[in-house]
Amino acid sequence: DSFDYPVYLTAAAFAGLYQLENQNPSFGQGLEGYAKRLATSYGDQAIGNLMTEAIFPSMLHEDPRYFRIGSSGGSKWHRTGYAITRVFVVRTDKGGSTFNFSEWLGNGTAVAISNLYYPGDTRNVSDNIQKLGIAVGTDAFSQVLKEFWPDIKHKFSKKKS
């Protein structure tokens, strides 16, 4: 996931938002400021993916893959709720379910690592909690897209008569 095109789009979107908000003013504005925000946003995404989808799941014997319930699995609200809860619930290697420690510990570790490349004035509890919330929220949104994307793709790929 760290090298698939959606991560670049996500990083670019966050960088644009942070540019508009002038987050981390020491990055400056203009192309140089945007480039710094893009690099840090990509770092956040890539490190978070590595931690939540590889390192922690391997250590904790969790399966980080998203398993769709699909259109036969209930209403759109049910499917959306299910997708969002996957940041809290994960399958284990033995087939059971447990709290998604990989999601939270992985993104928490990624936030801690990000303190190495963000400006010093953002290395505080409040900013780190916000970064963790954004990382987990982004992952929840990603699960919702994974749940519905095949349906959306199918709808638009139908041949019109």
Side-chain angles (χ1 to χ4, degrees), residues 142-158:
S142 172
Q143 306 296 39
V144 173
L145 288 178
K146 289 175 185 176
E147 179 64 37
F148 289 101
W149 184 247
D151 300 337
I152 294 167
K153 185 177 172 184
H154 181 261
K155 182 176 181 173
F156 287 108
S157 66
K158 286 184 180 178

Side-chain angles (χ1 to χ4, degrees), residues 5-126:
Y5 76 91
V7 78
Y8 300 110
L9 298 175
T10 303
F14 276 119
L17 176 63
Y18 298 154
Q19 181 89 351
L20 286 172
E21 294 175 343
N22 198 25
Q23 270 196 10
N24 301 311
S26 64
F27 285 172
Q29 284 293 317
L31 188 56
E32 181 181 350
Y34 180 78
K36 289 177 181 178
R37 290 177 177 91
L38 180 60
T40 56
S41 294
Y42 176 76
D44 293 346
Q45 296 291 315
I47 295 167
N49 286 342
L50 181 66
M51 294 295 166
T52 63
E53 297 179 18
I55 293 175
F56 278 96
S58 296
M59 291 188 320
L60 300 173
H61 303 283
E62 295 177 351
D63 186 348
R65 294 176 296 170
Y66 179 75
F67 295 92
R68 292 180 69 233
I69 56 176
S71 56
S72 61
S75 71
K76 290 176 183 165
W77 285 113
H78 174 75
R79 293 172 63 196
T80 301
Y82 169 81
I84 291 170
T85 63
R86 298 306 94 184
V87 297
F88 298 104
V89 180
V90 68
R91 290 186 183 186
T92 64
D93 288 351
K94 292 182 179 179
S97 293
T98 189
F99 179 75
N100 194 343
F101 290 103
S102 297
E103 175 71 26
W104 292 88
L105 293 173
N107 278 316
T109 301
V111 167
I113 291 169
S114 78
N115 284 316
L116 297 172
Y117 54 84
Y118 273 101
D121 62 343
T122 66
R123 297 178 192 151
N124 58 62
V125 173
S126 175

